[in-house]
């Protein structure tokens, strides 16, 4: 059986190398772009039009792909149908008119339901229309591998190059909503490398970086490691800003220090958690419209579960999870994960601390400063 599996993988790899070549032949009669869309990537089904998926699908449409969409939110689908984009009632209907499927969903259970549920992507019998399934959701590696194996057992309805069986890639993203909107996402891809290379033009229509991480499930594994580090980094930076304010240092000043020193990181550069320091980030709009605390808690749960599977201890991750779980329990689950600065560390809006400093100078008393700080943080 092992030798059969190896032969099957070798044959499929050869087929995909051949498939990748005709994919890059230009389509006839297209004038929307100087770079033609590969033939077998033209028809894309996009499922999951939330904060991230909405912008990703929009960027594909703007790049000239023929996109069909589905989401459980009828209002969101209406926004696409009003632009002339076909919106289908079920994932199965999306699959029937697509060469490639992209899913961007909140959880493993959502992904399983979209793929294997009633009227799901795999519900139309043993033969499927799409030759490639790309899941950009952040789920657990085990679910990703199980789905990939299930997809590979189906056959294609029509000949797609030399491929006989559909293929699945796990391709979660980094960069958040701003990068999804700007088309500057980073994709972390797991699965067959030849399929990744064939689909690369599709990824680069939604992002600016693609990183091949290895076999099936390695893309989501890389994403979990990334978000683990991101959560811990956000807590560390928020703690430092809050301490700095308590010591009389403005967040703007500390931001300049961080950017010029060893504490420099993506959060201090691009995602400052202190309201009033940086425009265009969730902290500037009451922590709305970003990566929610609920999703961060979910990703930390997945990271801890993956660590348990391989017998690895993650004590700092466990502490970070407890903090984000507390944020969710206290009603901040829909707020961006940077809200820990205000709602866990009781940090101040930038400008408040300046007022405190000025009043401290007038009063000349440390006790007065303490009272003002306590009043400002309530």
């Amino acid at each position: 059986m092992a030798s059969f599996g190896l032969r099957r993988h070798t044959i499929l790899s050869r087929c995909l190398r051949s498939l990748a070549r005709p994919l890059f032949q230009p389509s006839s009669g297209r004038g929307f772009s100087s770079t033609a869309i590969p033939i077998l990537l033209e028809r894309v089904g996009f499922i999951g039009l939330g904060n991230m998926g909405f912008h990703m699908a929009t960027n594909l449409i703007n790049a000239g792909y023929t996109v069909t969409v589905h989401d459980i939110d009828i209002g969101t689908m209406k926004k696409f149908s009003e632009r002339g984009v076909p919106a289908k009632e079920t994932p199965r209907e999306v699959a029937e008119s697509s060469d490639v499927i992209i899913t961007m969903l909140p959880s493993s259970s959502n992904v399983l339901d979209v793929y294997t549920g009633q009227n799901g992507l795999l519900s139309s019998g043993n033969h499927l229309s799409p030759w490639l399934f790309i899941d950009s959701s952040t789920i657990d590696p085990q679910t990703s591998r199980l789905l990939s194996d299930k997809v590979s057992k189906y056959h294609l309805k029509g000949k797609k190059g030399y491929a006989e069986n559909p293929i699945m890639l796990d391709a979660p993203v980094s960069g958040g909503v701003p990068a999804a909107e700007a088309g500057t996402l980073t994709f972390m891809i797991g699965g067959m490398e030849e399929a990744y290379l064939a689909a690369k033009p599709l990824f680069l229509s939604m992002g600016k970086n693609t990183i091949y991480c290895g076999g099936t499930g390695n893309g989501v594994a890389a994403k979990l490691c990334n978000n683990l580090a991101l959560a811990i980094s956000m807590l560390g930076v928020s703690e430092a800003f809050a301490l700095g304010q308590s010591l009389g240092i403005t967040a703007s000043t500390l931001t300049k220090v961080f950017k010029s020193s060893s504490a420099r990181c993506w959060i201090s550069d691009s995602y400052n958690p202190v309201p009033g320091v940086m425009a265009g980030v969730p902290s500037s709009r009451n922590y709305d419209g970003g990566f929610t605390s609920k999703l961060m808690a979910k990703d930390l749960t997945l990271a801890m579960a993956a660590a348990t599977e391989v017998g690895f201890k993650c004590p700092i991750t466990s502490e970070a999870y407890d903090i984000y779980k507390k944020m969710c329990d206290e009603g901040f689950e829909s707020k961006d994960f940077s809200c820990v600065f205000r709602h866990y560390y009781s940090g101040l809006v930038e400008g408040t601390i300046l007022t405190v400093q000025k009043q401290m100078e007038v009063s000349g008393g440390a006790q007065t400063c303490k009272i003002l700080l306590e009043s400002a943080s309530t």
Side-chain angles (χ1 to χ4, degrees):
M1 291 296 292
S3 61
F4 172 77
L6 180 61
R7 286 199 304 273
R8 183 177 180 274
H9 181 274
T10 303
I11 292 168
L12 187 53
S13 295
R14 289 173 180 169
C15 289
L16 273 168
R17 289 191 191 100
S18 300
L19 176 63
R21 287 193 293 270
L23 274 174
F24 291 91
Q25 292 176 358
S27 305
S28 58
R30 286 193 175 274
F32 61 86
S33 171
S34 59
T35 304
I37 290 175
I39 295 169
L40 292 185
L41 299 179
E42 285 184 325
R43 300 187 306 160
V44 180
F46 204 107
I47 299 173
L49 304 170
N51 289 338
M52 299 289 290
F54 182 92
H55 297 299
M56 293 165 70
T58 298
N59 284 331
L60 288 174
I61 294 164
N62 292 340
Y65 289 87
T66 301
V67 178
T68 302
V69 300
H70 169 75
D71 193 87
I72 58 172
D73 188 327
I74 296 174
T76 301
M77 285 207 294
K78 187 178 179 182
K79 292 178 182 178
F80 284 90
S81 60
E82 287 174 348
R83 293 183 57 186
V85 177
K88 303 295 184 180
E89 293 185 2
T90 66
R92 177 177 177 171
E93 291 176 86
V94 175
E96 288 170 351
S97 60
S98 303
D99 299 310
V100 180
I101 294 290
I102 301 174
T103 48
M104 187 59 161
L105 301 162
S107 68
S108 298
S109 60
N110 295 132
V111 174
L112 285 170
D113 185 57
V114 164
Y115 273 83
T116 64
Q118 185 178 14
N119 293 317
L121 293 168
L122 306 181
S123 65
S124 59
N126 293 325
H127 290 77
L128 304 174
S129 294
W131 73 273
L132 180 62
F133 293 82
I134 298 171
D135 182 36
S136 287
S137 316
T138 302
I139 62 175
D140 62 282
Q142 184 180 10
T143 297
S144 185
R145 288 167 183 145
L146 286 171
L147 268 180
S148 179
D149 182 64
K150 191 175 185 69
V151 165
S152 71
K153 291 185 168 105
Y154 284 77
H155 294 279
L156 292 172
K157 282 185 178 179
K159 188 175 180 181
K160 305 290 174 76
Y162 294 96
E164 296 180 358
N165 306 91
I167 302 149
M168 187 171 182
L169 296 173
D170 50 290
V173 301
S174 180
V177 176
E181 186 172 6
T184 57
L185 291 167
T186 292
F187 285 86
M188 294 154 272
I189 297 116
M192 191 172 290
E193 187 172 10
E194 291 82 3
Y196 152 65
L197 292 172
K200 198 169 182 179
L202 195 62
F203 293 125
L204 292 177
S205 295
M206 300 177 284
K208 68 174 183 179
N209 297 307
T210 63
I211 303 170
Y212 179 67
C213 299
T216 300
N218 280 15
V220 291
K223 175 62 187 292
L224 293 180
C225 291
N226 180 81
N227 277 21
L228 177 161
L230 179 63
I232 293 170
S233 179
M234 178 59 76
L235 293 175
V237 171
S238 295
E239 191 170 290
F241 277 133
L243 174 60
Q245 289 183 337
S246 297
L247 297 173
I249 309 169
T250 67
S252 295
T253 298
L254 269 184
T255 298
K256 292 175 184 177
V257 171
F258 291 168
K259 286 186 175 183
S260 305
S261 305
S262 55
R264 184 174 188 176
C265 62
W266 179 76
I267 291 169
S268 62
D269 281 1
S270 306
Y271 214 80
N272 199 296
V274 182
V277 173
M278 187 177 290
V281 295
S283 63
S284 70
R285 49 179 184 268
N286 196 30
Y287 300 105
D288 290 328
F291 187 72
T292 66
S293 295
K294 180 180 179 179
L295 288 178
M296 183 56 84
K298 179 212 77 171
D299 287 358
L300 290 172
T301 301
L302 293 175
M304 290 189 295
T308 300
E309 265 188 49
V310 296
F312 187 81
K313 293 181 180 179
C314 294
I316 302 176
T317 304
S318 179
E319 181 70 21
Y321 168 76
D322 289 342
I323 292 173
Y324 280 106
K325 179 66 165 57
K326 179 180 173 65
M327 291 293 93
C328 294
D329 292 343
E330 293 183 354
F332 304 110
E333 64 175 18
S334 297
K335 295 295 185 179
D336 182 76
F337 76 110
S338 61
C339 76
V340 292
F341 170 76
R342 284 283 282 161
H343 302 304
Y344 183 79
Y345 290 108
S346 300
L348 304 175
V349 175
E350 184 75 347
T352 305
I353 190 70
L354 289 174
T355 302
V356 170
Q357 285 179 324
K358 287 177 181 178
Q359 293 188 36
M360 180 182 174
E361 289 170 5
V362 172
S363 65
Q367 185 63 31
T368 305
C369 178
K370 181 182 177 184
I371 293 169
L372 287 167
L373 277 170
E374 288 174 348
S375 173
S377 64
T378 57

